[in-house]
Amino acid sequence: MGSTLPLPRIPKLLIDADALVAGAFSTTGASHIILKLGELSILECVAPVQVREEAERNLRYKMPDALPLFRVLVSRAITIIADPSPTSVLRFAKQAHPEDVSILTAAALSGCEYLVTFNIRHYYPEADTHMTVISPGKFLQLLRHAVSRLGSAEGEE
């Protein structure tokens, strides 16, 4: 029992508004699980102010009963970050749909490795951005695979 397994680095991800809405609406889907993992500090989840506001606005109009859970999840699982400046958004202008450039910019500038969204086709970051745009379900598959590798690495010692 003298040796310890070093803890892996916690993945940092930006949660887009569509995934936030899904996480508040369905307590069994991948988006909700990601938010719960954020609440447990197993993942570092961030969202810019505009994403939180968009998700809340969508829930208010389409699923108002989900608003209380949404607010609890956001307060416990997500770090709200500032929206990027218009100048910084220009740097990423060709890497996302015009309406989503500021979200990609926020993810890149805050050091996120992943941008979790259902609108994958709206984002096309360049390689030097070092970010993967991924759906909530695919992200959970990736996470499960990484965790299973940790278990097998521990048994090899």
Side-chain angles (χ1 to χ4, degrees), residues 40-52:
L40 295 169
S41 300
I42 292 168
L43 300 173
E44 182 180 355
C45 301
V46 302
V49 172
Q50 74 181 75
V51 163
R52 184 197 64 216

Side-chain angles (χ1 to χ4, degrees), residues 38-146:
E39 181 179 5
L40 295 169
S41 300
I42 292 168
L43 300 173
E44 182 180 355
C45 301
V46 302
V49 172
Q50 74 181 75
V51 163
R52 184 197 64 216
E53 289 174 351
E54 178 184 343
E56 188 160 336
R57 185 174 54 251
N58 288 339
L59 284 168
R60 192 176 316 112
Y61 292 120
K62 297 176 185 176
M63 299 168 265
D65 292 345
L67 271 172
L69 178 59
F70 168 79
R71 291 180 178 135
V72 168
L73 285 170
V74 167
S75 70
R76 292 181 180 171
I78 306 254
T79 300
I80 301 300
I81 59 175
D83 293 333
S85 70
T87 304
S88 61
V89 170
L90 291 174
R91 178 175 152 206
F92 296 91
K94 303 261 189 244
Q95 297 182 47
H97 185 277
E99 293 178 5
D100 296 314
V101 174
S102 62
I103 296 165
L104 177 76
T105 303
L109 295 180
S110 63
C112 290
E113 300 149 284
Y114 301 96
L115 193 162
V116 177
T117 183
F118 290 101
N119 293 320
I120 294 169
R121 66 188 182 340
H122 288 195
Y123 300 94
Y124 20 90
E126 295 174 1
D128 65 349
T129 306
H130 304 290
M131 183 188 336
T132 300
V133 179
I134 193 167
S135 71
K138 291 285 185 192
F139 178 79
L140 280 186
Q141 286 178 345
L142 199 72
L143 186 61
R144 284 185 190 112
H145 181 71

